[in-house]
């Protein structure tokens, strides 16, 4: 009798445990929302905007982890705005291609094509974003006026815990990826492709954001491969392949008098191929209370780069109505270590700093940059730049 009661008790106890485990696992199950269930068509012609917004709305209404699935095919979509919701764990898994609308004028009044705003815990895995930029570029390059402002392909604004993996951004109208007002962002295994003469097509733009990591990413575009704007801090860029493009730039900074600084930025183990610039810091020659500090450039290869190392505090790309004052941006504690390769111009190192706020704490360590054409030896140029050189430094340092 005792054994029977014991067995019954054990059976009941196990049943309760199994039931609880099942209910918990069921409650935490990941739900999948296929965009085709909401009307999206993979035929490259039908406007699928509503289908994508419908899938997002369904996933947002579900507090459980969820996946928005984009199957193979070409999905034409207009402006997409994905705003914050109940869920803090949504993955967008893309096996297909999102294609912009054929007529770029449809984006008149918009500055973003695919925009995530006030979201947390969003992951994008795989896929291709084809913004169909060439027609828009042609309009801008014609300089006849009448073109819309253009849109950024993928934008994250005021968001946290973002991951982008294995994405291809193709032919953006303007910036390819923009990170603005975000914390804890990881971008890896991403590719950016646009023609070398495509205007204002920055690969990745980061500003007013912290704890951002960009790794194992290949960028070829018509503007900066990566641009770091005001208010960026704790940013790591590692194993970046840049070219064509304008290099990796901090700036431009100093447009406004009141502007947050840039700090704790590292670029390491990266390669620049045929770019206009390599490692660049650029500021406008006008008053500002901004700053650039604690910057590290480590283990970098330059291949036929026009300006491998440059600080330009008289930045004015159009050379029209340039400010005639001096830059108020204070640049300090910048380390260049293990920078090597070839310069396409005679001046391989150029520090053109502010006479009011000279660059300070510049460190050159184990730098070896040679002229690519071997006709004229590479040289350094310095103005208002203070610092020290360590180890082998070629061309010879001109730091004060």
């Amino acid at each position: 009798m005792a054994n029977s009661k014991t067995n019954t008790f054990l059976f009941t106890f196990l049943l309760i445990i199994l039931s609880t485990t099942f209910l918990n696992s069921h409650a935490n199950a990941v739900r999948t929302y296929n965009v085709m269930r909401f009307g999206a068509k993979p035929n490259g012609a039908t406007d699928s905007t509503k289908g994508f917004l419908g899938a997002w709305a369904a996933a947002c209404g579900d507090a459980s982890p969820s996946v928005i699935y984009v199957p193979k095919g070409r999905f034409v979509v207009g402006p997409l705005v994905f705003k914050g919701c109940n869920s803090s764990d949504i993955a967008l898994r893309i096996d297909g291609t999102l294609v912009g609308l054929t007529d770029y004028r449809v984006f008149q009044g918009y500055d973003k094509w695919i925009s995530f705003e006030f979201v947390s815990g969003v992951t994008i895995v795989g896929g291709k974003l084809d913004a169909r930029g060439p027609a828009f570029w042609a309009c801008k390059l014609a300089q006849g006026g009448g073109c819309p402002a253009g849109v950024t392909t993928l934008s994250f604004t005021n968001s946290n815990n973002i991951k982008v993996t294995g994405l291809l951004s193709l032919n953006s109208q303007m910036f390819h990826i923009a990170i603005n007002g975000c914390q804890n962002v990881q971008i890896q295994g991403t590719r950016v492709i646009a023609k070398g003469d495509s205007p204002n097509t920055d690969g990745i733009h980061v500003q007013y954001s912290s704890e951002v990591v960009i790794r194992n990413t290949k960028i070829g575009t018509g503007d900066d491969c990566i641009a770091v704007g005001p208010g960026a801090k704790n940013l790591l860029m590692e194993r970046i392949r840049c070219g064509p493009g304008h290099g990796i730039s901090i700036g431009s900074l100093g447009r406004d008098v009141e502007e947050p600084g840039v700090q704790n930025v590292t670029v390491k183990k990266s390669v620049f191929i045929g770019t206009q610039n390599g490692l660049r810091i650029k500021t406008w020659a006008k008053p500002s209370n901004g700053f650039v500090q604690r910057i590290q450039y480590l283990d970098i290869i330059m291949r036929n780069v026009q300006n491998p190392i440059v600080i330009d505090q008289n930045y004015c790309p159009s050379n029209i109505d340039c400010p005639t004052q001096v830059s108020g941006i204070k640049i300090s504690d910048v380390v260049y270590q293990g920078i090597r390769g070839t310069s396409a111009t005679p001046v391989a190192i150029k520090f053109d700093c502010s006479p009011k706020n000279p660059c300070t704490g510049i460190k050159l360590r184990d730098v070896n940059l040679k002229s690519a054409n071997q006709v004229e030896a590479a040289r350094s140029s310095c103005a208002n730049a203070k610092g020290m050189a360590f180890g082998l430094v070629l061309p010879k340092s001109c730091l004060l």
Side-chain angles (χ1 to χ4, degrees):
M1 187 70 177
N3 288 339
S4 177
K5 288 183 178 180
T6 300
N7 290 338
T8 301
F9 172 79
L10 289 174
F11 177 81
T12 303
F13 178 77
L14 288 172
L15 185 61
I16 292 171
I17 294 296
L18 290 171
S19 299
T20 302
T21 302
F22 173 80
L23 289 173
N24 287 339
S25 63
H26 183 71
N28 295 325
V30 176
R31 294 180 174 85
T32 299
Y33 299 90
N34 190 320
V35 295
M36 292 181 62
R37 286 178 46 205
F38 297 86
K41 305 293 184 184
N43 56 20
T46 304
D47 187 343
S48 295
T49 305
K50 291 183 179 179
F52 277 76
L53 293 176
W56 176 261
C60 277
D62 189 344
S64 301
S66 57
V67 173
I68 297 173
Y69 179 58
V70 182
K72 292 181 179 180
R74 291 175 66 81
F75 296 86
V76 177
V77 293
L80 292 171
V81 180
F82 301 124
K83 292 191 175 181
C85 53
N86 293 333
S87 177
S88 60
D89 188 356
I90 296 179
L92 184 62
R93 179 185 159 197
I94 308 173
D95 285 340
T97 301
L98 277 64
V99 184
L101 298 171
T102 303
D103 185 1
Y104 58 81
R105 294 177 182 84
V106 173
F107 291 100
Q108 184 77 45
Y110 292 90
D111 60 359
K112 306 175 184 71
W113 176 26
I114 302 168
S115 179
F116 291 85
E117 302 173 5
F118 301 96
V119 300
S120 181
V122 168
T123 300
I124 298 177
V125 180
K128 180 191 297 185
L129 307 178
D130 182 358
R132 289 177 167 171
F136 174 76
W137 305 337
C139 180
K140 288 192 68 176
L141 293 171
Q143 297 181 345
C147 304
V151 293
T152 293
T153 289
L154 177 64
S155 174
F156 295 92
T157 305
N158 297 326
S159 298
N160 304 313
N161 304 323
I162 305 299
K163 295 181 181 179
V164 179
T165 304
L167 179 72
L168 167 61
S169 178
L170 179 66
N171 293 332
S172 182
Q173 290 185 11
M174 295 288 286
F175 297 173
H176 286 259
I177 300 173
I179 310 297
N180 185 19
C182 297
Q183 288 76 43
N184 191 19
V185 179
Q186 297 181 35
I187 299 175
Q188 61 181 7
T190 296
R191 290 182 296 156
V192 169
I193 299 175
K195 290 179 63 177
D197 61 353
S198 55
N200 303 116
T201 52
D202 288 21
I204 302 174
H205 187 90
V206 182
Q207 64 180 12
Y208 301 104
S209 299
S210 63
E211 316 304 331
V212 178
V213 177
I214 305 170
R215 279 196 176 104
N216 302 318
T217 290
K218 297 180 180 179
I219 302 173
T221 189
D223 210 300
D224 292 328
C225 289
I226 301 175
V228 181
K233 63 181 180 179
N234 303 335
L235 170 59
L236 170 64
M237 293 161 275
E238 184 176 13
R239 295 189 177 90
I240 309 299
R241 184 183 178 95
C242 173
H246 294 182
I248 293 179
S249 295
I250 294 176
S252 60
L253 303 176
R255 286 182 179 272
D256 302 315
V257 174
E258 298 293 329
E259 186 178 272
V262 173
Q263 57 189 318
N264 300 336
V265 175
T266 298
V267 182
K268 62 190 297 187
K269 297 180 180 178
S270 296
V271 179
F272 297 79
I273 303 173
T275 52
Q276 186 183 94
N277 305 286
L279 308 168
R280 176 168 62 160
I281 300 174
K282 50 182 178 176
T283 76
W284 293 88
K286 53 195 299 188
S288 176
N289 62 0
F291 60 86
V292 177
Q293 64 185 22
R294 295 193 294 276
I295 311 299
Q296 294 188 95
Y297 300 113
L298 311 173
D299 192 10
I300 307 293
I301 296 174
M302 306 286 181
R303 296 178 182 168
N304 201 36
V305 173
Q306 291 183 38
N307 303 290
I309 294 175
V310 57
I311 295 178
D312 180 4
Q313 293 207 259
N314 292 288
Y315 179 71
C316 185
S318 64
N319 291 318
I320 299 173
D321 296 326
C322 296
T324 57
Q325 300 165 288
V326 295
S327 177
I329 301 291
K330 297 179 180 179
I331 298 175
S332 62
D333 300 326
V334 183
V335 175
Y336 302 88
Q337 179 174 319
I339 318 297
R340 59 205 185 274
T342 56
S343 173
T345 61
V347 181
I349 300 174
K350 182 177 181 180
F351 297 132
D352 183 14
C353 299
S354 169
K356 180 181 179 181
N357 298 297
C359 300
T360 60
I362 307 297
K363 295 181 177 65
L364 296 169
R365 185 186 298 272
D366 301 328
V367 174
N368 189 355
L369 294 169
K370 299 178 180 179
S371 175
N373 57 28
Q374 302 296 323
V375 174
E376 184 177 357
R379 64 179 188 270
S380 300
S381 173
C382 292
N384 310 304
K386 301 179 180 180
M388 299 182 67
F390 304 88
L392 174 69
V393 174
L394 295 173
K396 186 177 178 181
S397 169
C398 56
L399 293 168
L400 298 175

